[in-house]
Amino acid sequence: MPPKKHSTTKTKSLSKTATSTPPAPAPPPNWPALKPLIPAPDLSLHTLLPSQIITISQFFTSTLCKTYVNFLKELPLTTTPGKPKKGDALRFNDRFQVFDEGFANRLWLETGLRELVCGSEEEGDEGEGEGDGMTKEERRELWGGEVIGLNPSIRIYRYTKGQFFDCHYDESNVLTLATKPTPTPAKTTWTLLLYLTSPTTGCIGGETVFYPDEVTFGGKKNVVDKEVVVGLETGMCLLHKHGNDCMLHEGREVLEGEKWVIRSDLCVKRGKSRFAD
């Protein structure tokens, strides 16, 4: 049976920046160790759409994904309301949210993500290191500023058969990261979605689909005239730009099995970069 059709009507809000309010305080879970992992030098950024959609295959190994799915099943997930608030997209899934700076830092520092996003310390301003050849300025332009970590607001999503997330835009949020020696004003610029299941684990459907839109990359307006469908891949990390430049997208209906996702966001410094305005 084909998936149900959902609305593709654009409902872009007047403002893409909102104040990030942490959820009600709750003790962070005792997350499993981030092992085993693929060695950081073996990971790479794969561009599906320039300046908009990037993936990292095998960000989590299949073994680690299985460990996390078993762990997340024990968390107190809450089913989203059947009727969304005015202006919100229809979302039908089970979720858990926690403010956990420690786990956000572990995802950022222990997985090789920081090196992939920011480049290694050996890379100079001209991008002459062992990385992907981007200069520091090109990285700042791509990510919307100087990336300093992940959003501590960690969200866990589970989609079972028949559940989906209708067409929507992801907003940018302002927050303050507890960096040392002093806190750093920050802003989110890219959504991070880590898929823990896929067809190989029995999850059918649930693809993330980005719809045709006018986007900016290379300093120019460009029209994307075809939808971009990102299928599930166990352990894959999907990064996509959000805020004013977010593309309309949806999470398609899950037809069989369970779709498990860990969600966070890339955070850039606020107020010191022309890219983070």
Side-chain angles (χ1 to χ4, degrees):
M1 180 178 178
K4 297 176 182 178
K5 298 291 184 180
H6 306 305
S7 169
T8 57
T9 303
K10 289 192 176 184
T11 56
K12 191 174 288 187
S13 61
L14 294 177
S15 173
K16 282 292 179 181
T17 302
T19 300
S20 181
T21 303
N30 185 22
W31 306 99
L34 297 178
K35 298 178 181 180
L37 289 169
I38 297 293
D42 294 338
L43 299 175
S44 61
L45 301 175
H46 177 60
T47 300
L48 296 184
L49 188 64
S51 299
Q52 284 288 334
I53 308 171
I54 293 173
T55 61
I56 307 170
S57 292
Q58 295 185 299
F59 184 71
F60 267 24
T61 61
S62 58
T63 298
L64 185 56
C65 286
K66 184 176 181 179
T67 297
Y68 262 78
V69 168
N70 289 333
F71 172 77
L72 298 177
K73 287 180 178 180
E74 302 302 318
L75 295 180
L77 279 70
T78 302
T79 302
T80 53
K83 184 177 181 181
K85 296 179 182 178
K86 184 176 181 181
D88 288 350
L90 179 59
R91 178 209 305 247
F92 185 30
N93 67 355
D94 304 305
R95 68 197 309 259
F96 173 83
Q97 185 170 3
V98 66
F99 190 82
D100 191 341
E101 295 170 333
F103 186 61
N105 285 334
R106 287 173 58 194
L107 284 175
W108 177 241
L109 298 174
E110 296 180 16
T111 60
L113 182 60
R114 179 176 63 173
E115 289 74 18
L116 280 172
V117 170
C118 301
S120 65
E121 293 181 358
E122 289 75 21
E123 291 183 38
D125 289 339
E126 302 305 318
E128 296 177 351
E130 296 295 322
D132 49 26
M134 282 192 290
T135 65
K136 289 184 178 180
E137 185 73 2
E138 288 170 337
R139 291 182 188 276
R140 285 192 290 265
E141 183 172 5
L142 171 64
W143 304 119
E146 180 185 349
V147 184
I148 54 175
L150 294 180
N151 189 348
S153 179
I154 304 297
R155 286 136 286 178
I156 306 300
Y157 302 144
R158 177 183 64 189
Y159 296 83
T160 56
K161 184 176 180 179
Q163 294 185 327
F164 60 89
F165 194 171
D166 212 345
C167 293
H168 64 284
Y169 295 90
D170 291 357
E171 292 188 346
S172 173
N173 294 284
V174 295
L175 68 161
T176 299
L177 293 187
T179 53
K180 296 181 179 180
T182 59
T184 303
K187 170 186 176 181
T188 67
T189 55
W190 285 63
T191 294
L192 181 150
L193 299 171
L194 172 54
Y195 299 122
L196 303 179
T197 53
S198 68
T200 61
T201 64
C203 179
I204 307 301
E207 302 90 348
T208 300
V209 184
F210 297 85
Y211 288 97
D213 208 340
E214 183 179 80
V215 299
T216 300
F217 55 85
K220 299 179 181 180
K221 290 286 186 181
N222 297 269
V223 176
V224 179
D225 55 9
K226 295 182 179 179
E227 63 183 36
V228 179
V229 180
V230 183
L232 300 185
E233 178 185 314
T234 304
M236 181 179 73
C237 179
L238 169 63
L239 295 161
H240 70 86
K241 185 178 287 187
H242 65 219
N244 290 328
D245 295 323
C246 187
M247 293 178 65
L248 183 70
H249 61 285
E250 72 169 331
R252 282 182 174 167
E253 181 179 344
V254 171
L255 304 178
E256 295 291 343
E258 294 184 342
K259 172 184 173 181
W260 283 90
V261 184
I262 297 177
R263 159 81 193 271
S264 186
D265 313 278
L266 295 186
C267 295
V268 303
K269 283 185 178 179
R270 221 173 352 117
K272 295 184 179 180
S273 169
R274 66 186 177 90
F275 301 115
D277 292 338

